[in-house]
Amino acid sequence: MAYEASMTEATLAGSPFVVRGLTVAYDAEAVVQDVDMTVSAGSMTAIIGPNGAGKSTLLKAALGIVRPLAGAARFWDAPLAQSRRRIAYVPQRASVDWDFPTRVIDVVLMGLYQELGLFRRLSARHKQAAMACLERVGMQDFAERQIGQLSGGQQQRVFLARALAQGADLYLLDEPFAGVDAATEAAIIAVLKSLRDEGRTVVAVHHDLSTVAQYFDHVFVINRHRVAEGPVVEAFTQTTLDAAYGGRVRLSD
Amino acid sequence: MLFDALTLQLGYNAALVALGASALGLAAGVVGAFLYFRKRSLVSDAVSHATLPGLALAFLAMVALGGDGRTLPVLMLGSALSAWIGLLVVSWLTRRTRLREDAAIGAVLSVFFGFGIVLMTVIQSMQSGRQAGLDGFLLGSTAGMLRNDAIVIAIGGVLVLAVVWLLRRPLLLTAFDEGFAEVQGINTHRLDLALMTLVLAVTVVGLKIVGLILIVALLIIPAAAARFWSDNAVRVVLLSGVFGAVSGHVGAALSATAPSLPTGPIIVLVATALFTVSMFFAPGRGVIAGMIRHARMRGRVDGI
């Protein structure tokens, strides 16, 4: 395809996130099959595909949360172990227990784990940094709140604030808009776009096809195999959607 | 008399037992809180029951070598080894088969404990080795506790607390959000094994006082009780440690006031009393506070 022909070795080396030959299987069934993915620096990419297409699994395997059968991900042409400080991961909101005894500010401070390690003391500077991240997602008034008292949208913003606290260059988000209200969705996309404008790279698993073109500049279409990849105008077409969703969705104009 | 016992003035042995029991309770409460956060409380049940075959085999080995079968450090080592094997089996079954952890725990617990009981029966029928009192490790037996035993328990407790303090950040991070922790470079599988090793250490240290059947209560109940009082993980950990220490101390003191009161079960009963009070009377998460909130809410809705 055209976008592959235009991809030079230089863009490959500079890419913050490259996946090659990734295959993941749960039991005997391959959920992700021999997937290649190349994310260009400073882009905002939506990973789209039907349910069970392996979108979340692709991210989890790339990040070592799930062990792949074959293949690997590289970040800035280096393995994950050397790139952790530059990567922020936002898991699905439903993947954690929100009755955990902790406050909003403590969750955001978890984003400083790389910096704090086992021994460094938590200082006023760290707390200020965490507060600034909460402000950026509009949650500064909830800092002392128990996390169990938050709405779904507020929980998602706290997760985003934790990722911001990492000060990463690559943001990988798993369904950041699942089950959140319109106001939160707007707030989150504004933050993500501001990250992109700062030159950082954003990759998000996304479900709502109607907002892809509005929110993102690149797409990665997957249905276990890679279906298409590239700028929205090139890769987000009726043809690629038919290939991924089996002709069940129509692209509205 | 109870006051004398509580203030360690009821004789040397009673004071040793009370100090040992509070050190054990503190360590068990703190470790138990992290276990509770990780939602793995029941693994401690498999670990504790899996100590029995090792305990019995260690005894048999010492007798075979012509010694006194009841040397505490050797018994602890044997228990630790077999509990460690039980732990690895639970971990392996859960990761490599389709068995869920609850089924794996049940299988390991019953098989190891059953095997241990068989060995204990063999030991009881033996003619030598001074096996009297070995069954005290099932439910705890403090009557013949020595100064060295108390020192071993105290050192074990301090070591456990030091390791917990060292690992507190990754432990909390993993308990809240395992995926995020993995991406931070935390090997959550190894961290879980470390946590279970701490549980194992508490179990082995507690063999003498609480016994292997009831140690699980000291790991679970203080944490569950502490959770009613606070929404702050660090405070839950500290409070759980305090509850554990108070249970150990008061339980040991109570059991010292009458000759036939067993220490382990009394400690567990004291912990249960703390749990019951917490469950009903804690502000916020307590049952009564919840009922009051509900009634107020209903009053407001009816008033409209």
Side-chain angles (χ1 to χ4, degrees), chain A residues 27 63 65 84 89 91 96-97 99-102 110 113-114 116-120 146-147 159 162 166, chain B residues 37 39 98 166 168-170 172-173 175-177 179-180 182-186 227 230-233 285:
Chain A
D27 287 322
L63 290 168
I65 301 170
R84 293 192 192 279
Y89 168 59
V96 308
D97 171 18
D99 193 40
F100 196 81
T102 193
M110 288 178 190
Y113 178 76
Q114 296 279 344
L116 290 168
L118 294 182
F119 301 107
R120 204 153 302 146
Q146 158 67 20
I147 57 168
F159 259 19
R162 179 178 67 177
Q166 292 180 252
Chain B
F37 292 157
K39 300 184 171 55
R98 285 171 159 272
L166 188 73
R168 67 199 187 284
R169 273 181 194 151
L172 282 178
L173 195 52
F176 174 62
D177 192 341
F180 183 81
E182 279 280 352
V183 179
Q184 299 302 304
I186 296 169
R227 182 66 183 90
S230 177
D231 280 330
N232 176 321
R285 294 178 75 92

Side-chain angles (χ1 to χ4, degrees), chain A residues 153-192:
Chain A
Q154 291 167 338
Q155 292 172 351
Q156 192 65 59
R157 291 191 208 198
V158 173
F159 259 19
L160 183 58
R162 179 178 67 177
L164 292 175
Q166 292 180 252
D169 296 311
L170 172 64
Y171 290 79
L172 302 172
L173 305 94
D174 198 348
E175 305 217 14
F177 305 117
V180 306
D181 55 28
T184 300
E185 185 160 331
I188 292 174
I189 202 68
V191 172
L192 295 183

